[in-house]
Amino acid sequence: EAGVAQSPRYKIIEKRQSVAFWCNPISGHATLYWYQQILGQGPKLLIQFQNNGVVDDSQLPKDRFSAERLKGVDSTLKIQPAKLEDSAVYLCASSPGRSSGNTIYFGEGSWLTVV
Amino acid sequence: SQQGEEDPQALSIQEGENATMNCSYKTSINNLQWYRQNSGRGLVHLILIRSNEREKHSGRLRVTLDTSKKSSSLLITASRAADTASYFCATVYNFNKFYFGSGTKLNVKP
């Protein structure tokens, strides 16, 4: 079974530029998550999708971050314009569904450096 | 807040020793899970304990949950150098919402 795929793996941009990250979850997984992990910290939930609907985006900085999940499969996270404090690893994860007892499966992450 | 807090932040032990890390949280959970992250990689699920369970075992891992104290502990027995990683507890709520703490960084010296 293929895992969660993310791209690009690494990205360096200047502040005020834009960047987009792509995620393809495990086939059949209804729930998709985007987390931001700053160096030395734990993952912080940015947005959670159930199929193509948003379950939770309360911690997504909506003035600069946006995310969509087209047709309930893959997803794109965009940052525009980027700030220095956005330097982090952006982790995509997926889970089979909403029933309790699910675990989530993470991709390898997209490393963003804003200079 | 809904995420747990791990303690200690860092732990250094010798190979063969046991490693214990703790997680405290503030609001009632559906279940609690522990994940491991090797440097530069994504998180990997280790073990899940439901809110009506008190203890679970998986290989060299033992996890306990005390819902009255809102705390959990993860014990790794007979640690190996390959266990060197960061360990995170995830508190899980309705609708499969997962929140992660700041982690315990474990260093196992050969």
Side-chain angles (χ1 to χ4, degrees):
Chain A
E1 177 181 79
V4 176
Q6 291 190 244
S7 68
R9 191 85 166 87
Y10 303 96
K11 191 77 176 178
I12 301 174
I13 62 173
E14 295 182 350
K15 59 184 179 184
R16 292 186 290 274
Q17 285 187 324
S18 62
V19 63
F21 302 113
W22 174 83
C23 172
N24 191 26
I26 293 172
S27 178
H29 279 195
T31 309
L32 185 147
Y33 309 80
W34 283 102
Y35 286 87
Q36 178 194 58
Q37 187 176 24
I38 293 171
L39 189 64
Q41 299 182 17
K44 171 189 165 186
L45 179 65
L46 292 177
I47 189 166
Q48 177 184 345
F49 292 97
Q50 177 73 17
N51 296 311
N52 59 354
V54 175
V55 174
D56 185 352
D57 64 355
S58 58
Q59 299 188 94
L60 186 73
K62 297 181 185 66
D63 57 334
R64 297 184 302 105
F65 286 64
S66 64
E68 59 182 4
R69 189 179 185 195
L70 301 173
K71 300 179 183 177
V73 182
D74 55 355
S75 176
T76 303
L77 176 71
K78 296 179 181 176
I79 307 173
Q80 180 179 15
K83 292 186 175 181
L84 296 177
E85 59 260 36
D86 298 332
S87 294
V89 181
Y90 291 87
L91 294 163
C92 180
S94 70
S95 175
R98 260 195 293 192
S99 61
S100 66
N102 285 155
T103 61
I104 60 176
Y105 299 82
F106 282 85
E108 293 294 316
S110 292
W111 292 66
L112 174 66
T113 302
V114 182
V115 297
Chain B
S1 64
Q2 292 170 298
Q3 66 260 35
E5 284 187 24
E6 287 93 341
D7 170 66
Q9 289 186 331
L11 182 59
S12 185
I13 59 174
Q14 292 291 138
E15 217 168 19
E17 293 180 338
N18 295 342
T20 300
M21 49 205 86
N22 305 295
C23 173
S24 60
Y25 57 93
K26 294 181 179 174
T27 55
S28 296
I29 55 174
N30 283 349
N31 64 75
L32 186 143
Q33 302 183 23
W34 286 89
Y35 286 75
R36 166 193 168 128
Q37 184 177 39
N38 286 82
S39 183
R41 309 297 296 273
L43 283 76
V44 175
H45 172 77
L46 294 176
I47 194 166
L48 177 157
I49 187 164
R50 299 180 192 278
S51 58
N52 61 354
E53 296 176 316
R54 293 297 168 257
E55 187 171 316
K56 288 280 287 283
H57 294 256
S58 177
R60 293 185 295 114
L61 304 179
R62 171 179 170 254
V63 65
T64 62
L65 179 65
D66 186 336
T67 52
S68 65
K69 294 181 179 177
K70 291 187 170 58
S71 68
S72 173
S73 67
L74 174 68
L75 169 68
I76 304 173
T77 60
S79 62
R80 306 165 181 167
D83 294 328
T84 294
S86 292
Y87 293 80
F88 296 90
C89 70
T91 45
V92 186
Y93 300 91
N94 287 342
F95 304 108
N96 251 1
K97 294 187 181 184
F98 283 69
Y99 293 92
F100 290 85
S102 54
T104 293
K105 195 166 185 177
L106 174 64
N107 180 35
V108 182
K109 295 176 280 188

